[in-house]
Amino acid sequence: MTGPTGLALYTRTARASSARVIGAYSTSFGLASRLLPRPVRGRVADVYALVRVADEIVDGPATEAGMGGADKRAVLDALEAETLSAIEHGFSANLVVHAFAVTARETGIGPELLRPFFRSMRMDTREIPALDEQAYRRYIHGSAEVVGSMCLRAFATEDPRLRLDDELEEGARRLGAAFQKVNFLRDLADDVERLGRVYLPGVDPGRFTDADKDRVVDEIAEDLDVAARAVVRLPPASRRATAAAAALFGELNERLRATPAAELLRRRVSVPTAVKLRLVARAALGRVPA
C-alpha cells in the first residue's frame, strides 16, 4: 500500500512538526493532550505550535540571536501575514504555519482570533516595564483567551453535533486566562530579572506581598470555576483532556497559594511529575470534578 503523496504528504509532515514542538516545549499540555483522539490532538498541537513559535520570537531565542524590538515586530508581522495567507490559500512554505492553517480551515479559526493574538505578541517587543489594568486585560485577551477559543474549535471537531455558544466560549476564554495568569506568577522572577517587566498590574516586585499574590490566585481560582461549567459540556475525550489540563494548573495555583510571595521572586513553582501523572490518570478515569 502506498502512502500519501503531494499535499497530503506535505500536510502530514507539517503536522508531525507541530507534534514535535508541543512534545519539546510542554510537559503539562503534552501530557493532557494524550487523552484526545488523534485527529483532535493533532489540531491542538497545530494551535500550540504556532503560538509557541510566536512566543519564542518575543521571549528568548530571537533576542539571543541578536534581534531588537523592531526586528522582532517585523518577524511577527511577516508571521501574521503568512498565517492569514495560508488560511486563505491552504498552503505555506513554513511547516508550522501550514499545519495551523489546515486546522484553522477545518475548525473555523479566523482573523478575529488571530489578529488579537499577534497584537498581544507585539506588546512584548516594546519596552513597557509594567502594564496598567487596561493593557493587562488586553494582553490577556490576545495572548490567552483567544487561544482558548482556538482550542475550543479543535475540541468541537470530536463531535460535529456540538454547537458553540456563549457559555462554551466564556469557559474557553477563562481557562486560557487562568493558564496565563498562573504562568505570570510562576515566571515573576524571570520576567523581572531577564525582561525587566511585570505583567501583573499594580505589582511592585520590590514590595510584592502575599496580598498581591493572593489577589491573583483568587482570580485564577474564579476563572477555573467558570471554565469548569463549560468543560463538562465538551465531547468525552476532549472533556477528559481539558479537565486534566485544568487540574494540573489548579494544582499549580494551590502551590502558588501556599508559597510566600517573597519566595516567588527566587524560584519557579512546579508540580512534581508523579503528581502530574496522578492528576492526568484521574482525569482519564473521569474522576476530576468539574
Side-chain angles (χ1 to χ4, degrees), residues 182-193 208 210 213 251-272:
V182 164
N183 285 330
F184 283 160
L185 283 177
R186 294 178 77 203
D187 296 337
L188 186 61
D190 185 60
D191 288 341
V192 171
E193 293 172 10
F208 185 56
D210 287 332
K213 178 205 67 174
E251 175 67 21
L252 269 170
N253 198 41
E254 291 310 308
R255 288 171 182 262
L256 289 165
R257 189 186 297 279
T259 303
E263 196 170 335
L264 292 181
L265 290 168
R266 295 194 296 268
R267 71 177 181 91
R268 192 174 195 262
V269 172
S270 62
V271 176

Side-chain angles (χ1 to χ4, degrees), residues 147-188:
V147 177
S149 292
M150 292 179 197
C151 290
L152 174 62
R153 282 151 179 75
F155 297 146
T157 63
E158 182 184 341
D159 184 353
R161 296 169 299 178
L162 182 68
R163 294 293 177 263
L164 304 187
D165 57 25
D166 290 345
E167 183 181 55
L168 286 171
E169 292 283 8
E170 178 69 6
R173 289 193 295 265
R174 295 290 283 269
L175 191 59
F179 292 173
Q180 181 70 287
K181 293 168 191 174
V182 164
N183 285 330
F184 283 160
L185 283 177
R186 294 178 77 203
D187 296 337
L188 186 61

